[in-house]
Every structure is written in C-alpha cells, then in structure tokens.
Amino acid sequence: MTMSELTDKELLIEYFSNIGQQRVDELTMFFWQTFPTLADFKMAKNDVKRDLLDFDHQYYELLVGIELGQRIAHKPRPLIGKIYCSQQIGVELIEQLRNDVQECLILFCLDVKHQIIFQQMVFKGTLSTCPVHPREIFAVALEHHAESILVAHNHPSGSVTPSQNDILFSKRLDQCGELMGIELLDSFIIGDGNYLSLREADLFESN
C-alpha cells in the first residue's frame, strides 16, 4: 500500500508510529479533536496550530513536516515550451494554484515565438486580496526583454467569476502593454478545478 492510499487518519498514525512515539493514540486523538479534518487544519489560524505545542512538544516535528509539504506544493512549477492556446496553460495553472489559500499572481514573459522565457510569482496577498500595480509587472517584463506577457491569479474561494477589479486591472495591463509594445496575451483566473481566460471571454479588450 502506498502513502496515497492511506486515509488522513491512517497517515497521521503512520507518522507518529514511524518516529518512535509510544503515545500514538493520545497524540493522534488530540490532533483530530482540535482539527476534525485536514481542511480545518489548513484554514486554522497560526496561533491555533501553535496550541499543539502547548499540549506536547512532539507536534513540532509534525508542524515542520506540514510546513515543508505546503511550501513544496505551492512552489510554482515552471511552464516551459511554446504557448499554443489558452486551454494549454489554463490546465497547467489549475494544478499550480487551485489549493493556495492566499491570492497570488504569476507573470509569464514570452519571446517573439511565444516561448516562455521567464516565470515569476510577482505577488502573494492576503486571503482575498492581492495588491499589484502594472509598473511592477512591466518592470519585470522589460528586464527579461519580453515580447509579450501572460498573467494569472487564483481565487481562493474556488470561483472563477471575475470581479470588477479583475477586469479593470486586466484592461489596464492591456492598455499599458499597447503603449510599451509588450502585448498582454491573456489574463487567467484560476479556481478549484476550473479557469477563466479573460481574453477568450472578451472581458478586457481595449475599446
């Protein structure tokens, strides 16, 4: 049986068992009493998570492991190669951003052949906001001699319905790109298992 086949409760028991804990039942029971599901742990405030340490210092190793796993999961996987269509990059971005509880924005710089030459998470915001200004976007694009750019941000709510700010921001990027000679190819919103291309939806065309 692989780790992916274990239930959440079985996986936690396996963790404590393999680090030689004699109080496996006690430690696992307290964890599930505090966080009935892993989703509850994910959404809990940091001070609530730190309460585990007040119960037993052995939870420190568990929290370190969880933090490391979260950082690995949230690291953007560089997209390489040529961009052919919105669906191609939209599907890839779903895997990168769908589980992030903070809103973040990724910039892709492309060359004249639409090859991705640089990728960077430009901003990471609070639970529901991601303040960003076009000048920071185009500063990175100019630094890497981009011919065009793509931007993508996630909605932690899981919905891909664009807000008015999403549309206005994309329009501003589009207009700035026209003035600077750096085309905005598309702006994506990533949800839970879905994405929206604002270009395909004709939501940020400069009129």
Side-chain angles (χ1 to χ4, degrees), residues 3-197:
M3 286 191 292
S4 62
E5 296 176 295
L6 298 174
T7 66
D8 295 342
K9 295 185 184 300
E10 289 172 340
L11 193 60
L12 191 63
I13 291 173
E14 188 75 10
Y15 170 81
F16 284 124
S17 298
N18 278 277
I19 62 172
Q21 288 301 316
Q22 302 301 315
R23 297 161 46 237
V24 174
D25 292 341
E26 180 185 1
L27 294 173
T28 53
M29 182 176 67
F30 182 78
F31 182 93
W32 295 121
Q33 287 177 341
T34 308
F35 309 103
T37 70
L38 292 183
D40 293 311
F41 177 88
K42 179 179 180 180
M43 301 305 297
K45 294 181 179 179
N46 287 331
D47 56 347
V48 177
K49 297 176 182 179
R50 283 195 295 267
D51 287 345
L52 290 173
L53 302 180
D54 293 333
F55 178 77
D56 195 291
H57 72 281
Q58 295 297 337
Y59 281 114
Y60 179 77
E61 293 182 24
L62 175 64
L63 295 182
V64 169
I66 291 173
E67 177 66 22
L68 181 61
Q70 289 176 334
R71 293 189 185 189
I72 293 173
H74 293 157
K75 285 294 182 183
R77 180 168 60 88
L79 299 177
I80 58 174
K82 186 174 182 178
I83 299 300
Y84 292 97
C85 64
S86 295
Q87 181 181 11
Q88 171 198 358
I89 194 169
V91 170
E92 293 279 358
L93 287 169
I94 288 173
E95 295 305 313
Q96 286 193 20
L97 299 175
R98 65 188 300 176
N99 294 319
D100 205 315
V101 297
Q102 286 187 306
E103 191 166 335
C104 56
L105 186 144
I106 297 179
L107 167 68
F108 300 91
C109 296
L110 295 88
D111 63 15
V112 68
K113 296 182 180 180
H114 289 181
Q115 297 273 354
I116 297 175
I117 56 177
F118 184 72
Q119 172 185 342
Q120 179 177 322
M121 184 179 291
V122 184
F123 288 96
K124 192 175 185 70
T126 63
L127 185 64
S128 59
T129 61
C130 184
V132 63
H133 194 281
R135 63 173 171 264
E136 282 85 6
I137 298 292
F138 285 101
V140 176
L142 287 170
E143 179 183 355
H144 293 276
H145 308 287
E147 291 287 335
S148 58
I149 60 172
L150 287 164
V151 294
H153 75 281
N154 64 314
H155 281 179
S157 66
S159 170
V160 296
T161 302
S163 68
Q164 191 62 24
N165 284 338
D166 291 335
I167 297 172
L168 291 176
F169 173 68
S170 296
K171 284 184 175 181
R172 288 180 67 194
L173 282 182
D174 192 40
Q175 293 164 356
C176 291
E178 287 185 2
L179 291 173
M180 301 183 68
I182 302 176
E183 181 184 3
L184 174 62
L185 293 181
D186 212 335
S187 177
F188 291 89
I189 297 174
I190 308 301
D192 184 10
N194 199 6
Y195 75 91
L196 174 71
S197 159

